[in-house]
Amino acid sequence: MAERAEQVITPALVAGLGAAALVAALSLGTVAVVAGAAVSPMRLGAGDWAALKFTLSQALVSAALSCALAVPVARALARRSFAGRGLLVTLLGAPFILPVIVAVLGLLAVYGRGGLVSAVLVHFGYAPLSIYGFRGVVLAHVFFNLPLATRLLLQGWQRVPAEHFRLAAQLGMTTRDINRVIERPILRAVLPGAFATIFLLCVTSFAVALTLGGGPRATTIELAIYQAFRFDFDMGRAAALALMQFAIGALAAVLAWRMAQTRAQDPQLAPEVHRWDCAGFPSRVADSLGLLLVALFLLLPLAMVLIDGLRGIALLDGRVWLALGRSVLVALASAVLTLLLALALGLAAVSRRQGAIAGGFESIGFLSIAASPMVIGTGLFIILYPLVDPASMALPVTALVNAAMSLPFALRATLPALRQAEATHGRLADSLGLGGGMRFRLLHWPFIRPAAGFATGLAAALSMGDLGVVALFADPDAATLPLYLYRLMGSYQMTAASGAALLLVAASLALFAVFDRWGRAAR
Amino acid sequence: MILQLDKMTVRQGDFSLSADWSVKRGTRLALIGPSGGGKSTLLSLIAGFFEPDEGRLLIEGRDMRGVAPGRRPVSLLFQENNLFPHLSVARNVGLGIRPDLRLTREQHEAVERSLQEVGLEGMGARMPAQLSGGQRQRVALARALLRDKPLLLLDEPFAALGPALRAEMLDLVAGLLERTGATLLMVTHDPRDAERIADQTALVSDGKVTPPMPTARLLADPPAALRAYLG
């Protein structure tokens, strides 16, 4: 103990400081660069202010709809037991690693002008739907975030001790009493955090706006940054917009941080609770209908991608395989980097001797949740432009930025396991004099390996499907798979795009599964 | 007979539990045995959280099959989580009168009286988090008292308390039973608890609940299974 206490500068501290510096440089340093290059807000045009308004309004509506719809779904899932319940809960987790562009393609195949719903409408003499613009952006955001809100709420339900539902049954509570005494407090505890989190995600989302938005009335700030870059090459304006984006993101992140006290956990682990109050026919029908609609809402677009994709694969040429190869390389590099950053920050954060600064390491790891890929990308572009051809750096920059974006999720998964390792066996390790590498191998790693595998898999899948910063930098001949897919969509080769989408989903899932398996592999 | 277990068996996976005996009104029965033996399962059956797979379960001569937990003449205290953390003590007790908590003035007074009886006079406005573990279980007792059901089931609600406090709580329960005339079924893993409050004791082990016997006689000359448990 005494020996370890004297040794103030440990390798863990150095690694932690290095990782913290890198993350801070990426998320805050780029903002400083951007601020230096920005034009005065006075020079922003009406279109830019419209983008601000659109960003906020679509995020508000998306978050409100996702939360409101999640309430009946989560309640139905919490109080019913049926075959396939576990599967449905798993399905609710799927959108998280589903590449955004794939979901958009699926949504277009169902709700788009040439989609299923429009086909039915046209058949009966109505006009076809159009989901480009506000409606499409909100639809896609609800597609991604309704499952998230449902899972957060379900976790809230599962934190209620089973005794409380039994007590309610014994006291003869009706569904209405249970709603008032048990369920409303859950909603009050979970909904504000869920709303703020989803609002943040919708404010910083880029690919949805890129594919479904656009035009003067449906451009988000993220999209406006991209357009200022790619089409106008107006770096000053792009930088001013990036500052605006950063301010909103930071504000939303602070709100989400203060309101979300929910921990990431797997909702499947908790047992179903038997309920005696809601055996009546109407409530059963309502619950079944709600669950069925949600399952359809999530599955139909995916099924369409699968069906169209199988036809489309034959249309793909050699370029798609090159794009796939580049994407896999980027994803692997990004995943490994995410894991290293998470470990470096996590170990520094749990190291008890660092005291006050330990909390600092944790906070820095979550910084990038407020940053947006476009803001970081703008900053990096401004730095790199005088030095090299930014296009030649597209893949390394993408891997780096994706690692920073995945870091909050990776920390969220691994940090509790690290804390637990220290809490339960830290003193034992101290008394045995375990320090440095041995402490990591014997104490930390066995505890965090499953979480680390999960987090690395997640990072790989997120990076695989990412269509963000790469769109700023990439050179048409060196596209990643999502960008290639976006170009196919842009030239209306929808069937080929579906083929590429199928390939992209398969690769994302495979990467996730490989790392997750590796984490769970028997020691 | 307040409670009759008529060739009753319940199965949960590999586990099964059977019992075939009955209990007279006013009895204080302790259920003792190793953990995982099915003591809590038996109480859950009586309270209606599961149904037996075979046989019948009767309370006050009425077959309880299909009777919802809220309609059974039973109050059950769990080991923990007997209170809703976001409701005040008085509201937690008041749930025992009306789950929608629309109480008349007389009913509010009844709540206050039952708090008095468990030694929590004037604490109605407090929140559960402001109480000690023993006080929280007193609140649950006050609610059970107010519900005034003929059968009181205790699933080790005092297990987490120290020996002196536990004895105090058992004496409180004994005093309340004396006044209400209710019948007690109490799970415990400590023979001293049984000696303190229960005139009858039944052994729960190896998937069976033996018929109740006078506590003193059972503990003086324990059968092999009980001897193995007591050590």
Side-chain angles (χ1 to χ4, degrees):
Chain A
M1 265 310 269
E3 195 187 327
R4 289 191 57 221
E6 284 162 19
Q7 191 188 350
V8 177
I9 299 176
T10 59
L13 179 61
V14 173
L17 287 174
L22 178 62
V23 176
L26 271 179
S27 44
L28 295 178
T30 49
V31 174
V33 171
V34 164
V39 297
S40 131
M42 303 301 284
R43 272 194 46 210
L44 291 177
D48 299 322
W49 296 109
L52 172 65
K53 207 176 124 202
F54 179 76
T55 302
L56 294 177
S57 60
Q58 62 81 17
L60 275 176
V61 172
S62 302
L65 269 180
S66 300
C67 287
L69 294 174
V71 171
V73 177
R75 180 169 36 208
L77 268 177
R79 68 187 188 182
R80 302 287 170 200
S81 61
F82 52 92
R85 180 180 178 273
L87 215 63
L88 188 51
V89 174
T90 308
L91 179 66
L92 290 173
F96 197 75
I97 56 171
L98 186 70
V100 174
I101 183 119
V102 174
V104 167
L105 204 58
L107 289 168
L108 282 171
V110 177
Y111 306 99
R113 212 174 170 73
L116 280 183
V117 177
S118 290
V120 174
L121 287 176
V122 169
H123 181 81
F124 288 102
Y126 294 96
L129 294 177
S130 168
I131 59 166
Y132 288 99
F134 185 85
R135 275 188 284 177
V137 170
V138 169
L139 176 70
H141 281 157
V142 172
F143 179 83
F144 277 100
N145 294 305
L146 167 61
L148 172 67
T150 307
R151 281 167 71 96
L152 289 173
L153 279 171
L154 203 52
Q155 285 167 17
W157 248 274
Q158 281 163 353
R159 273 192 298 271
V160 174
E163 284 97 338
H164 284 179
F165 287 106
R166 292 186 161 192
L167 184 59
Q170 180 160 97
L171 296 172
M173 287 192 185
T174 61
T175 303
R176 183 191 287 232
D177 296 329
I178 290 182
N179 180 285
R180 194 173 30 81
V181 173
I182 299 181
E183 294 176 338
R184 233 178 275 165
I186 300 176
L187 299 183
R188 266 203 302 272
V190 178
L191 276 183
F195 183 91
T197 304
I198 294 172
F199 180 78
L200 174 62
L201 292 173
C202 294
V203 159
T204 53
S205 109
F206 170 69
V208 166
L210 176 68
T211 47
L212 291 173
R217 290 170 59 195
T219 296
T220 61
I221 304 175
E222 288 277 271
L223 187 56
I225 298 171
Y226 168 79
Q227 287 168 347
F229 246 103
R230 293 296 287 197
F231 304 148
D232 311 335
F233 208 73
D234 186 345
M235 263 205 251
R237 218 181 102 234
L241 285 164
L243 272 188
M244 193 196 271
Q245 171 69 31
F246 178 80
I248 301 175
L251 201 69
V254 168
L255 279 180
W257 179 264
R258 295 194 55 164
M259 287 197 265
Q261 2 105 311
T262 46
R263 262 255 179 89
Q265 68 186 40
D266 193 346
Q268 253 178 287
L269 294 178
E272 298 149 29
V273 174
H274 189 82
R275 290 271 296 264
W276 290 266
D277 57 289
C278 47
F281 187 67
S283 88
R284 261 157 63 182
V285 170
D287 282 357
S288 311
L289 205 64
L291 292 175
L292 192 72
L293 284 177
V294 159
L296 272 182
F297 179 58
L298 295 179
L299 280 175
L300 220 49
L302 300 182
M304 290 307 288
V305 168
L306 183 67
I307 295 166
D308 292 347
L310 288 174
R311 283 189 295 141
I313 278 192
L315 300 176
L316 298 172
D317 54 34
R319 282 174 300 175
V320 80
W321 301 106
L322 282 174
L324 175 67
R326 279 189 287 267
S327 273
V328 170
L329 279 181
V330 168
L332 288 175
S334 177
V336 170
L337 190 57
T338 305
L339 180 64
L340 291 178
L341 287 175
L343 285 179
L345 288 174
L347 287 170
V350 297
S351 160
R352 274 169 293 152
R353 282 159 304 130
Q354 260 86 53
I357 51 171
F361 285 112
E362 186 181 350
S363 318
I364 283 179
F366 288 100
L367 264 185
S368 60
I369 210 160
S372 84
M374 285 301 126
V375 177
I376 299 180
T378 309
L380 288 177
F381 198 98
I382 293 169
I383 297 168
L384 289 175
Y385 186 64
L387 306 173
V388 289
D389 174 15
S392 70
M393 299 296 287
L395 297 187
V397 164
T398 303
L400 183 66
V401 173
N402 285 344
M405 301 313 285
S406 300
L407 183 59
F409 303 108
L411 266 183
R412 209 167 209 207
T414 51
L415 206 51
L418 266 179
R419 290 235 159 84
Q420 202 206 343
E422 279 291 342
T424 56
H425 292 78
R427 295 194 168 192
L428 176 64
D430 285 346
S431 71
L432 294 172
L434 284 182
M438 281 308 277
R439 193 180 182 88
F440 178 72
R441 262 176 54 201
L442 295 181
L443 173 65
H444 299 128
W445 186 243
F447 271 85
I448 61 169
R449 183 170 166 167
F454 173 79
T456 315
L458 208 60
L462 288 177
S463 177
M464 183 80 211
D466 174 70
L467 178 57
V469 74
V470 72
L472 272 189
F473 279 72
D475 167 345
D477 299 324
T480 57
L481 189 50
L483 192 57
Y484 183 74
L485 167 48
Y486 172 60
R487 297 227 171 95
L488 286 176
M489 280 171 75
S491 54
Y492 297 101
Q493 303 179 48
M494 291 314 228
T495 312
S498 295
L502 197 56
L503 205 58
L504 180 57
V505 176
S508 300
L509 287 178
L511 279 177
F512 173 75
V514 165
F515 282 110
D516 191 43
R517 276 264 169 103
W518 165 73
R520 291 168 198 246
R523 290 156 213 151
Chain B
M1 290 296 157
I2 176 102
L3 174 70
Q4 289 162 268
L5 308 176
D6 179 14
K7 299 195 183 62
M8 186 198 75
T9 299
V10 65
R11 290 191 193 84
Q12 292 174 337
D14 290 343
F15 173 84
S16 87
L17 185 75
S18 45
D20 186 22
W21 41 262
S22 50
V23 176
K24 277 209 215 58
R25 193 178 287 275
T27 305
R28 296 180 201 161
L29 173 64
L31 300 165
I32 196 165
S35 49
K39 302 186 297 280
S40 299
T41 306
L42 182 61
L43 293 196
S44 293
L45 272 166
I46 298 171
F49 301 133
F50 326 110
E51 296 277 2
D53 294 294
E54 286 164 28
R56 295 187 308 158
L57 189 158
L58 297 89
I59 301 177
E60 298 185 305
R62 208 151 63 88
D63 191 340
M64 286 289 126
R65 184 164 294 279
V67 178
R71 301 192 174 275
R72 299 189 178 203
V74 164
S75 282
L76 170 58
L77 264 66
F78 306 105
Q79 191 160 358
E80 52 181 8
N81 297 319
N82 283 297
L83 306 183
F84 293 108
H86 50 274
L87 296 184
S88 70
V89 164
R91 289 167 81 83
N92 263 295
V93 175
L95 287 174
I97 302 179
R98 283 190 67 150
D100 63 4
L101 284 174
R102 292 198 192 113
L103 304 187
T104 62
R105 187 133 62 86
E106 290 76 35
Q107 286 169 326
H108 280 297
E109 283 162 8
V111 167
E112 187 50 41
R113 268 200 307 281
S114 73
L115 281 175
Q116 254 172 40
E117 288 201 56
V118 298
L120 294 178
E121 195 172 353
M123 296 215 193
R126 298 214 189 164
M127 299 306 281
Q130 297 171 291
L131 304 182
S132 70
Q135 286 173 325
R136 281 200 284 271
Q137 303 300 48
R138 280 173 197 260
V139 177
L141 263 183
R143 182 172 57 215
L145 192 65
L146 206 58
R147 297 186 72 218
D148 195 23
K149 301 291 177 190
L151 202 50
L152 178 63
L153 310 176
L154 302 184
D155 193 359
E156 300 204 77
F158 313 131
L161 308 179
L165 195 53
R166 203 159 76 207
E168 194 185 317
M169 295 298 287
L170 289 176
D171 292 347
L172 174 65
V173 171
L176 298 175
L177 290 173
E178 205 122 306
R179 208 172 55 63
T180 61
T183 306
L184 173 73
L185 261 71
M186 174 184 85
V187 165
T188 181
H189 56 265
D190 190 341
R192 282 169 304 179
D193 288 356
E195 275 172 333
R196 188 161 197 106
I197 188 170
D199 44 13
Q200 303 264 314
T201 297
L203 176 66
V204 187
S205 77
D206 299 328
K208 260 181 65 181
V209 192
T210 62
M213 284 175 52
T215 303
R217 214 170 80 208
L218 188 73
L219 291 178
D221 181 20
L226 184 55
R227 241 191 338 263
Y229 170 67
L230 295 175

Coordinates of all heavy atoms in Angstrom, one line a residue, chain B residues 3 38 43 50 54 61 72 80 85 128-129 163 168 185 187 197 202 209 227:
Chain B
L3 N -57.7 -22.3 8.0 CA -56.9 -22.6 6.8 C -56.9 -24.1 6.6 O -56.5 -24.8 7.6 CB -55.5 -22.0 7.0 CG -54.5 -22.4 5.8 CD1 -54.9 -21.7 4.5 CD2 -53.1 -22.0 6.2
G38 N -39.1 -23.7 0.5 CA -40.4 -23.4 0.1 C -41.3 -22.7 1.1 O -42.5 -22.6 0.9
L43 N -46.5 -19.2 1.6 CA -47.2 -18.0 1.9 C -47.7 -17.4 0.6 O -48.9 -16.9 0.6 CB -46.3 -17.0 2.7 CG -45.8 -17.4 4.1 CD1 -45.3 -16.2 4.8 CD2 -47.0 -18.0 4.9
F50 N -49.7 -17.5 -6.5 CA -49.8 -18.7 -7.4 C -51.0 -19.5 -7.0 O -51.5 -19.3 -5.9 CB -48.6 -19.6 -7.3 CG -47.3 -19.0 -7.1 CD1 -46.7 -19.2 -5.8 CD2 -46.7 -18.3 -8.0 CE1 -45.4 -18.7 -5.6 CE2 -45.4 -17.8 -7.8 CZ -44.8 -18.0 -6.6
E54 N -52.3 -29.1 -7.6 CA -53.2 -30.2 -7.2 C -53.8 -29.9 -5.9 O -53.2 -29.2 -5.1 CB -52.5 -31.6 -7.1 CG -52.1 -32.2 -8.5 CD -51.0 -33.3 -8.3 OE1 -51.0 -33.9 -7.2 OE2 -50.2 -33.5 -9.2
G61 N -63.1 -22.1 5.2 CA -64.0 -23.1 4.5 C -64.3 -22.8 3.1 O -65.0 -23.6 2.4
R72 N -58.8 -12.2 -1.1 CA -58.6 -13.2 -0.1 C -58.5 -12.5 1.3 O -58.0 -11.4 1.4 CB -57.3 -14.0 -0.4 CG -57.4 -14.7 -1.7 CD -56.3 -15.6 -1.9 NE -56.5 -16.3 -3.2 CZ -55.9 -17.5 -3.5 NH1 -55.1 -18.1 -2.6 NH2 -56.1 -18.0 -4.7
E80 N -39.1 -7.1 2.6 CA -38.8 -5.7 2.4 C -39.8 -5.2 1.4 O -40.6 -5.9 0.8 CB -37.3 -5.5 2.0 CG -37.0 -6.4 0.8 CD -35.6 -6.3 0.3 OE1 -34.8 -5.6 1.0 OE2 -35.3 -6.9 -0.7
P85 N -42.2 4.0 -1.7 CA -41.3 5.0 -1.2 C -41.7 6.4 -1.4 O -41.3 7.3 -0.7 CB -40.0 4.7 -2.0 CG -40.4 3.9 -3.2 CD -41.6 3.2 -2.8
P128 N -41.1 7.1 3.9 CA -40.5 5.9 4.4 C -39.0 6.0 4.5 O -38.4 5.4 5.4 CB -40.9 4.9 3.2 CG -42.2 5.4 2.8 CD -42.1 6.9 2.9
A129 N -38.3 6.8 3.6 CA -36.9 6.9 3.7 C -36.4 7.5 5.0 O -35.2 7.3 5.3 CB -36.4 7.7 2.5
P163 N -31.4 -8.7 17.2 CA -32.1 -9.7 18.1 C -33.1 -9.0 19.0 O -34.3 -9.4 19.2 CB -31.0 -10.4 18.9 CG -29.8 -10.2 18.2 CD -29.9 -8.9 17.4
E168 N -38.8 -7.4 20.2 CA -39.7 -6.4 20.5 C -40.9 -6.4 19.4 O -42.1 -6.3 19.8 CB -39.0 -5.0 20.4 CG -39.7 -3.9 21.0 CD -39.0 -2.6 20.7 OE1 -37.7 -2.6 20.9 OE2 -39.6 -1.6 20.3
L185 N -49.4 -16.9 10.4 CA -48.5 -17.8 9.8 C -47.2 -17.1 9.6 O -47.2 -16.0 8.9 CB -49.0 -18.4 8.5 CG -49.6 -19.8 8.5 CD1 -50.9 -19.7 9.2 CD2 -49.8 -20.3 7.1
V187 N -43.0 -17.1 8.7 CA -41.8 -17.8 8.2 C -40.6 -17.4 9.1 O -40.5 -16.2 9.4 CB -41.5 -17.5 6.7 CG1 -40.1 -17.8 6.3 CG2 -42.5 -18.2 5.8
I197 N -43.1 -16.7 19.9 CA -44.4 -16.2 19.5 C -45.4 -17.4 19.1 O -46.6 -17.2 19.2 CB -44.4 -15.2 18.4 CG1 -45.7 -14.5 18.1 CG2 -43.8 -15.7 17.1 CD1 -45.7 -13.3 17.2
A202 N -44.4 -25.8 12.0 CA -44.3 -26.8 11.0 C -43.0 -26.7 10.3 O -42.4 -25.6 10.1 CB -45.5 -26.6 10.0
V209 N -44.4 -29.8 3.6 CA -44.6 -29.1 4.9 C -45.2 -30.1 5.8 O -46.3 -30.6 5.6 CB -45.6 -27.9 4.6 CG1 -45.6 -27.0 5.9 CG2 -45.2 -27.1 3.4
R227 N -33.3 -31.5 13.0 CA -32.0 -31.6 13.6 C -30.9 -31.2 12.7 O -30.0 -30.5 13.0 CB -31.8 -33.0 14.2 CG -31.6 -33.1 15.7 CD -31.1 -34.3 16.3 NE -31.3 -35.6 15.5 CZ -32.3 -36.4 15.7 NH1 -33.2 -36.2 16.6 NH2 -32.3 -37.5 15.0

